[in-house]
Amino acid sequence: MPSHQTAPEPGAPGLTVAAVARRLGVAPATLRTWDRRYGVGPSTHTAGSHRRYCALDVARLDLMRRLVNAGAPPADAARAALAADLAPVPVLGLAPTDPGPDDLTGLAVADAEELAALLGEMGGRPGGGRVVPLSTSATPAVRGLARAATSLDSVACTAIVRDTLDRRGVVWTWDHLVLPVLVGIGKQWEQSGRGVEVEHVLSESVTTALTGVVARMHRPLNARPVLLACADEEMHSLPLFAVAAGLAERHIGSRVLGARVPADALVAAIRRTGPAVVLVWSTMPAFDGCGCLADLPAVRPAPLVLAAGPGWDAALPSGVARVDDLVGTLTRICGAVGV
């Protein structure tokens, strides 16, 4: 056994399979399969309790995951992970009954050169152009979500986002988990023209998790609804679901009209519902400039009209306010509905 790979101390804290799955961005079923088929599993076990993963176990699994994502067959990746000389870092601040995905820090796994060497021995190649470019300060949760998205593992993506929503709330999850990965996927597409399928899987997974937040809300405080719509040719509706979930946390009801809402359909929706707020999202410049905002019907009482996203011209029609981030958007809407 390599010098680093010592057995965990008795009674040392460990992670459950669900916590490790969140950290690495894989489905719990995948970890159980790796344990059953290849022997890459948890080391610690106490009579009468579930087996727990120690820091060394997670280091092995992290290396195996990187090798599989780089194109190595799982059996070869497992053999390499079990044979690699990995240096675990002690588990810090981890309660055995409620482990969190960010409590293991600084796992010393193989660096890029070691990873390339291992892949070379197996006839593989590192990266394959499929790695999402992330900031050097990206958290383990961000890297795990990026890995899950790259692997098109929608179950793991949804689980990671849903768990973070439960622990951190909508604003933190959107700003510190989802956006960094979306930005990285966008950079990957700009550099290589690849990654559309990764963006689609991640968007659908995030939407599923966000709509779950909305579904849990009962008895909204606002009598007049909040309408959330995309501009006529806008396809990216994910930010609308983030706004809807953020409002639901504040017990404010909203109605998401979704992508590509024609101006006449938005007018009809306003007349039909008499909303307190109308938010229109646009990523790219709207084909009619700000025409759809200028032509909204005059209803009483007049709704607050918000232009969200980078696609709007600098000069907005009178009575239309610009919002630039999720916190600012939620603040403006809460003020308009009196919550």
Side-chain angles (χ1 to χ4, degrees):
M1 178 181 291
S3 59
H4 286 309
Q5 298 189 15
T6 57
E9 296 180 2
L15 295 176
T16 64
V17 64
V20 175
R22 289 193 299 266
R23 179 179 177 81
L24 298 182
V26 300
T30 299
L31 295 182
R32 295 188 180 100
T33 298
W34 288 356
D35 183 18
R36 184 176 63 254
R37 292 185 182 178
Y38 312 117
V40 185
S43 300
T44 59
H45 177 69
T46 302
S49 65
H50 295 289
R51 297 172 69 189
R52 299 282 178 139
Y53 292 80
C54 69
L56 179 57
D57 298 331
V58 180
R60 287 196 190 102
L61 288 166
D62 190 26
L63 175 56
M64 180 172 176
R65 179 63 164 172
R66 293 169 66 186
L67 291 168
V68 170
N69 282 351
D76 293 343
R79 282 193 293 269
L82 289 170
D85 187 7
L86 304 176
V89 172
V91 181
L92 302 176
L94 187 62
T97 58
D98 185 24
D102 297 326
D103 290 326
L104 284 172
T105 57
L107 289 173
V109 299
D111 62 20
E113 293 182 0
E114 293 171 329
L115 185 63
L118 287 169
L119 282 167
E121 295 173 2
M122 293 182 281
R125 58 190 180 90
R130 296 185 293 128
V131 178
V132 175
L134 299 172
S135 166
T136 55
S137 61
T139 65
V142 168
R143 296 186 183 281
L145 182 59
R147 283 193 290 266
T150 301
S151 299
L152 305 184
D153 191 339
S154 59
V155 173
C157 287
T158 303
I160 293 169
V161 176
R162 184 176 289 148
D163 174 74
T164 309
L165 286 168
D166 291 342
R167 293 184 297 110
R168 300 279 196 170
V170 172
V171 171
W172 194 97
T173 300
W174 180 257
D175 287 344
H176 300 286
L177 177 66
V178 175
L179 276 185
V181 181
L182 288 174
V183 170
I185 292 172
K187 290 180 180 178
Q188 183 184 50
W189 181 83
E190 291 176 357
Q191 295 167 2
S192 65
R194 295 192 294 268
V196 172
E197 73 285 1
V198 176
E199 189 271 336
H200 285 182
V201 166
L202 179 60
S203 294
E204 288 297 323
S205 300
V206 173
T207 299
T208 298
L210 292 171
T211 52
V213 175
V214 177
R216 293 196 296 268
M217 182 190 62
H218 299 286
R219 297 181 180 177
L221 299 176
N222 53 313
R224 298 168 62 203
V226 174
L227 290 185
L228 307 174
C230 285
D232 199 341
E233 295 300 318
E234 177 59 55
M235 293 294 297
H236 295 88
S237 61
L238 182 58
L240 300 183
F241 292 95
V243 174
L247 292 174
E249 282 189 334
R250 293 153 177 79
H251 303 285
I252 298 174
S254 62
R255 301 177 188 180
V256 178
L257 302 184
R260 300 185 67 178
V261 179
D264 58 348
L266 181 58
V267 167
I270 293 172
R271 288 177 173 157
R272 187 175 304 168
T273 62
V277 180
V278 177
L279 180 146
V280 184
W281 170 267
S282 180
T283 303
M284 303 299 292
F287 78 98
D288 64 345
C290 296
C292 64
L293 298 178
D295 296 336
L296 295 183
V299 295
R300 299 296 178 191
L304 170 66
V305 181
L306 300 176
W312 300 109
D313 295 335
L316 294 173
S318 176
V320 178
R322 185 187 305 276
V323 286
D324 298 314
D325 56 33
L326 184 55
V327 172
T329 299
L330 297 176
T331 300
R332 292 297 298 267
I333 295 176
C334 288
V337 300
V339 175

